[in-house]
Amino acid sequence: MSRKKIFFAGPSVLPVEVLKEMQDQIFDYDNSGLSIIEASHRGGAFDKLYHDCLDLMRELLSIPDDYSVFFLGGGATTQFAMIPMNFLPSNKTADYVKSGSWSNKACDDAQKLGNVRVSFDGKSSNYSTLPNPKTVIVPQDSAYYYLCSNETIGGIEWQSWPETGNVPLIADMSSDIFSRPVPVEKFSMIYGGVQKNLGPAGATFIIIRNDMLDRIPSGLPAYFDYRTHSKADGLYNTPPVFSIWGVKLVLEWVKKLGGVSAMQERAVVKSSLIYEAIDESNGFYLSPVDSAYRSKMNIVFRLPTPELDAEFVSEAQKLGMLGLKGHRSVGGCRASVYNALPKEDVVFIRDFMRSFAADKS
Ligand SMILES: *Cc1c(COP(=O)(O)O)cnc(C)c1O
């Protein structure tokens, strides 16, 4: 089999080593005579895997001890509602940065559940830029300040973080977690779907500072109350077992390669290859994104016409490059270059971008 070059935005590329390990172990996990996906989530084999996974999360991201870490189901999307249910009391207002599709959806859900102030709306720039973190002023009576660290569809990424003082900072890091070091202690909560940079779809990681749990109102249904999961060590109900297995293997792979700093170096090298191809193309490829906030995970660009966008995507597909069509809501092209994507695949697309532009210009 010749493996495709996988530029999908999510679910997305996984390390070959991880897929092979899953293949090897799927039928008989650790010589136990059954698969880990057939075993009880309360049994010894899963318990070890699960705690190894949480330990790796803590170690690789340097998560301080006073944070709870667990996995939920329902995707990152469920958190759009759970965050205001838990942290937006009726006498308070939360601040949202609307920077593209994902933070806009989060903001829409919060507005259904409480008072929201839109602290920044990228609409007038077609979501191509972010507020300057150095000049952000957060009202100190805010319930929390919410942002999406990397807009997977629009291809913009925060490069540093605003000072929020006493106001809890909450971030959706679905598509850039583990691509760079994160000062976790600046955040009251970080969460995201694992299917972009961390494993097979199914789990949503939640990292939450324990003092936040005291703010949760009573009366929430059990599953929707973060305290339930923190108290039960994330095992209140059946966790997404298969997905967590994959995350654990991906984290072992990240560790072997040198951790999040090594992932950051890889991301800088890989994304630069494509941005250089864009910048050198004399306008054949255009990045719609403010260059100060270019994403190192999702690189969005467009060609001179929608017809050329389509031709680019289909020619690339013939050469084994998948997932280059931009999201249906924005059009154009998008190359997602998550941690597991080999550098050779990025060199391959860079070369293809050059030759395609030369052919058509
Ligand atoms: C994919 C994505 C989501 C939605 O994740 P689901 O797991 O499909 O609910 C939310 N936020 C960001 C930044 C994403 O990339």
Side-chain angles (χ1 to χ4, degrees):
M1 172 193 128
S2 82
R3 188 165 158 82
K4 303 284 188 192
K5 296 162 180 40
I6 302 163
F7 295 95
F8 285 117
S12 44
V13 62
L14 288 164
V16 172
E17 295 89 326
V18 168
L19 295 172
K20 292 223 157 107
E21 171 78 9
M22 293 186 109
Q23 180 184 42
D24 183 56
Q25 295 278 314
I26 188 76
F27 193 72
D28 181 10
Y29 186 81
D30 227 358
N31 298 315
S32 60
L34 76 167
S35 176
I36 193 68
I37 57 173
E38 298 173 303
S40 168
H41 65 288
R42 312 254 175 230
F46 182 74
D47 195 65
K48 174 159 186 346
L49 181 166
Y50 176 67
H51 285 102
D52 287 351
C53 182
L54 294 182
D55 290 347
L56 282 163
M57 289 280 291
R58 287 185 181 277
E59 178 190 338
L60 294 171
L61 276 186
S62 306
I63 301 174
D65 288 344
D66 59 331
Y67 284 67
S68 295
V69 185
F70 48 84
F71 295 98
L72 298 180
T77 302
T78 300
Q79 301 310 308
F80 298 167
M82 274 180 75
I83 290 164
M85 285 169 82
N86 282 264
F87 300 133
L88 182 49
S90 56
N91 62 347
K92 286 239 184 189
T93 298
D95 282 276
Y96 275 72
V97 176
K98 294 183 75 171
S99 57
S101 305
W102 293 116
S103 55
N104 290 3
K105 282 188 174 163
C107 186
D108 288 348
D109 271 359
Q111 274 165 336
K112 290 177 190 152
L113 294 160
N115 299 318
V116 167
R117 188 163 38 215
V118 176
S119 145
F120 171 90
D121 191 346
K123 191 169 184 186
S124 60
S125 74
N126 206 16
Y127 299 106
S128 64
T129 193
L130 291 169
N132 180 346
K134 292 205 183 72
T135 58
V136 164
I137 294 167
V138 181
Q140 289 301 295
D141 59 350
S142 179
Y144 57 83
Y145 185 85
Y146 180 99
L147 59 83
C148 173
S149 60
N150 181 60
E151 286 283 359
T152 320
I153 292 174
I156 46 173
E157 185 173 26
W158 289 77
Q159 310 295 322
S160 62
W161 313 109
E163 287 303 331
T164 60
N166 291 323
V167 174
L169 177 58
I170 299 183
D172 174 358
M173 295 198 183
S174 293
S175 50
D176 63 339
I177 193 77
F178 283 93
S179 71
R180 52 175 169 170
V182 178
V184 176
E185 63 286 349
K186 270 185 168 292
F187 294 84
S188 293
M189 175 174 171
I190 298 172
Y191 76 96
V194 303
Q195 72 273 23
K196 312 290 166 54
N197 213 13
L198 213 46
T204 306
F205 67 89
I206 311 281
I207 301 168
I208 196 163
R209 205 176 58 230
N210 289 333
D211 65 356
M212 289 295 284
L213 302 171
D214 302 334
R215 302 178 179 227
I216 300 171
S218 52
L220 289 176
Y223 191 89
F224 298 97
D225 184 327
Y226 292 123
R227 282 175 301 201
T228 305
H229 304 288
S230 174
K231 266 188 222 145
D233 193 23
L235 296 174
Y236 173 69
N237 69 331
T238 318
V241 169
F242 183 88
S243 178
I244 291 171
W245 179 27
V247 171
K248 183 225 170 204
L249 296 175
V250 168
L251 292 179
E252 286 172 345
W253 176 86
V254 168
K255 185 172 173 175
K256 203 177 76 194
L257 264 63
V260 283
S261 316
M263 294 300 118
Q264 183 176 38
E265 280 166 38
R266 278 166 71 90
V268 169
V269 169
K270 289 190 297 184
S271 60
S272 302
L273 284 167
I274 299 183
Y275 284 120
E276 275 163 29
I278 293 170
D279 293 340
E280 290 164 4
S281 71
N282 293 318
F284 183 80
Y285 300 106
L286 275 184
S287 161
V289 170
D290 182 342
S291 57
Y293 303 113
R294 284 176 163 183
S295 171
K296 292 180 185 64
M297 292 282 106
N298 310 98
I299 301 162
V300 170
F301 54 93
R302 55 179 68 254
L303 285 73
T305 64
E307 291 71 31
L308 280 169
D309 287 335
E311 193 180 335
F312 176 88
V313 170
S314 83
E315 289 302 311
Q317 187 163 349
K318 286 183 200 150
L319 296 171
M321 290 174 273
L322 304 183
L324 292 167
K325 196 170 182 313
H327 190 267
R328 59 188 187 282
S329 63
V330 294
C333 301
R334 170 178 54 175
S336 297
V337 297
Y338 295 119
N339 286 349
L341 187 74
K343 184 182 161 199
E344 304 85 80
D345 293 5
V346 183
V347 171
F348 193 88
I349 192 178
R350 191 270 315 265
D351 293 347
F352 172 69
M353 287 174 75
R354 285 183 175 163
S355 64
F356 191 86
D359 274 2
K360 303 289 171 186
S361 306

